[in-house]
Amino acid sequence: MHACVYDWEYVFRKLIGARYFNKAYASGGGIINSSTSSARDYEGHGSHTLSTAGGNFVPGANIFGVFNGTAKGGSPKARVATYKVCWPPVSGSGECYDGDILKAYEAAIYDGVDVLSVSLGGQPSDYSEDTTSIGAFHAVMKGVVVVCSAGNDGPKEGTVTNVAPWIITVGASTLDRQIDNYVELHNGMRFQGTSITKPLAGSNFYPLISAAQAKAANASAADAILCKGGTLDPKKVKGKILACLRGENARVDKGMQAALAGAVGMILCNDKLSGNEIIADPHVLPASHINYTAGLAVFQYINSTK
């Protein structure tokens, strides 16, 4: 048996309501059990988005000991309530059902919320057929401001979602800092990257290897270059910096797999689709995420020094 101790007086001054909606999910074949009959966040997305919208001031926040400062949400003094509508997929799809989403909108309007922050959406569609747009319209007609995410797709045309004119659609984040680090090769080439990790200690050069060169005997080079789980040979990786290609599996998972295989660091190289988009992730080992052009240069250098 496990127990947690909370300052419930503080919790209930911030989180003042929590509801869940699962009837449409159940009618679509969703399995109803203790975790799908609860407003508790078992996956983390709801806690993340709710704290982004209304998280209080947290002094001394840092990630792995770096970038110390005060963290806060968009409206840190607001009281918040959560309305849970998304659940484990049914047959590989179907997580957030229309009926549950509309029921949550209805409940939030009835509860008297001032602002609805909605972090879900699908492919752009006609307003009259889009559940988020329909629910948001009814909320706005009752004086509730509705703020939605623009989605995670792109960068290409027609990938922004939640674009109904009565919705405030947020598609960008703002930072007061740029988190830079650098990859330096033995031939003097230097590339700017980003990551939320401490750099390798000192100014020593370490052996550099492509993840494809470090593939396990039972793995394909195509899977190994992506640093997927179980594809790397620790004997080939140990003590080296590993160059992984972005795509398919999570960026942070690539670093985890590199660390598990014994790498001292990782260079995460963008694929062509990702282009110049680099992201400061909290990797578990010293790492740098570089753009597509820089990644090509790194792989070319590795191939020229075999």
Coordinates of all heavy atoms in Angstrom, one line a residue, residues 58-72 177 196-198 282:
V58 N 6.1 29.1 -9.0 CA 6.9 28.1 -8.4 C 8.4 28.6 -8.4 O 9.1 28.4 -9.4 CB 6.8 26.7 -9.1 CG1 7.7 25.7 -8.4 CG2 5.4 26.3 -9.1
P59 N 8.9 29.1 -7.3 CA 10.3 29.6 -7.3 C 11.3 28.5 -7.2 O 10.9 27.4 -6.8 CB 10.3 30.5 -6.0 CG 9.3 29.9 -5.1 CD 8.2 29.4 -6.1
G60 N 12.4 28.7 -7.8 CA 13.5 27.7 -7.7 C 13.3 26.5 -8.6 O 13.9 25.4 -8.4
A61 N 12.5 26.7 -9.6 CA 12.2 25.6 -10.6 C 13.5 25.4 -11.5 O 14.1 26.4 -11.9 CB 11.0 25.8 -11.4
N62 N 13.8 24.2 -11.8 CA 14.9 23.9 -12.7 C 14.8 22.5 -13.3 O 13.9 21.7 -12.9 CB 16.3 24.0 -12.0 CG 16.5 22.9 -11.0 OD1 16.8 21.8 -11.3 ND2 16.3 23.3 -9.7
I63 N 15.5 22.3 -14.3 CA 15.5 21.0 -15.0 C 16.9 20.4 -15.0 O 17.8 21.0 -15.6 CB 15.0 21.1 -16.5 CG1 13.6 21.7 -16.5 CG2 15.0 19.7 -17.2 CD1 13.1 22.0 -17.9
F64 N 17.1 19.3 -14.2 CA 18.4 18.7 -14.1 C 19.4 19.7 -13.6 O 20.6 19.6 -14.0 CB 18.8 18.0 -15.4 CG 17.9 16.9 -15.9 CD1 17.7 16.7 -17.2 CD2 17.2 16.1 -15.0 CE1 16.8 15.7 -17.7 CE2 16.3 15.1 -15.4 CZ 16.1 14.9 -16.8
G65 N 19.0 20.6 -12.8 CA 20.0 21.5 -12.2 C 20.3 22.7 -13.0 O 21.2 23.5 -12.6
V66 N 19.7 22.9 -14.2 CA 20.0 24.0 -15.1 C 18.8 24.9 -15.3 O 17.7 24.4 -15.1 CB 20.6 23.6 -16.4 CG1 22.0 22.9 -16.2 CG2 19.7 22.6 -17.1
F67 N 19.0 26.1 -15.7 CA 17.9 27.1 -16.0 C 17.0 27.3 -14.8 O 15.8 27.2 -14.9 CB 17.1 26.6 -17.2 CG 18.0 26.2 -18.4 CD1 18.0 24.9 -18.8 CD2 18.8 27.1 -19.0 CE1 18.8 24.5 -19.9 CE2 19.6 26.7 -20.1 CZ 19.6 25.4 -20.5
N68 N 17.7 27.6 -13.7 CA 16.9 27.9 -12.5 C 16.1 29.2 -12.6 O 16.6 30.2 -13.2 CB 17.9 28.0 -11.3 CG 17.2 28.1 -10.0 OD1 16.6 27.1 -9.5 ND2 17.2 29.2 -9.3
G69 N 14.9 29.2 -12.1 CA 14.1 30.4 -12.1 C 12.7 30.1 -11.5 O 12.5 29.1 -10.9
T70 N 11.8 31.0 -11.8 CA 10.4 30.9 -11.3 C 9.5 30.5 -12.4 O 9.5 31.2 -13.5 CB 9.9 32.2 -10.7 OG1 10.8 32.6 -9.6 CG2 8.5 32.1 -10.3
A71 N 8.8 29.4 -12.3 CA 7.9 28.9 -13.3 C 6.5 29.3 -12.9 O 6.2 29.5 -11.8 CB 8.0 27.3 -13.4
K72 N 5.7 29.5 -13.9 CA 4.3 29.9 -13.7 C 3.5 29.6 -15.0 O 4.0 29.5 -16.1 CB 4.1 31.4 -13.3 CG 4.4 32.3 -14.5 CD 4.2 33.8 -14.0 CE 4.4 34.7 -15.2 NZ 3.3 34.6 -16.2
R177 N 14.2 33.5 -23.2 CA 15.6 33.0 -23.3 C 15.7 32.1 -24.5 O 14.8 31.5 -24.9 CB 16.1 32.3 -22.0 CG 15.5 31.0 -21.8 CD 15.8 30.4 -20.4 NE 15.0 31.1 -19.4 CZ 15.1 30.8 -18.1 NH1 16.0 29.9 -17.7 NH2 14.3 31.4 -17.2
I196 N 18.0 20.9 -23.0 CA 18.0 21.2 -21.6 C 18.7 20.2 -20.8 O 18.2 19.3 -20.1 CB 16.5 21.3 -21.0 CG1 15.7 22.3 -21.9 CG2 16.5 21.8 -19.6 CD1 14.3 22.4 -21.5
T197 N 20.0 20.2 -20.9 CA 20.9 19.2 -20.2 C 22.2 19.9 -19.9 O 22.6 20.9 -20.6 CB 21.2 18.0 -21.0 OG1 21.7 18.3 -22.3 CG2 20.0 17.1 -21.2
K198 N 22.9 19.4 -18.9 CA 24.3 19.9 -18.7 C 25.2 19.4 -19.8 O 25.1 18.3 -20.2 CB 24.8 19.5 -17.3 CG 24.0 20.2 -16.2 CD 24.6 19.8 -14.8 CE 23.9 20.6 -13.7 NZ 24.5 20.2 -12.4
P282 N 14.4 17.9 -22.2 CA 15.1 17.5 -21.0 C 15.7 16.1 -21.2 O 15.1 15.1 -20.6 CB 14.1 17.6 -19.9 CG 12.8 17.3 -20.6 CD 12.9 17.9 -22.0

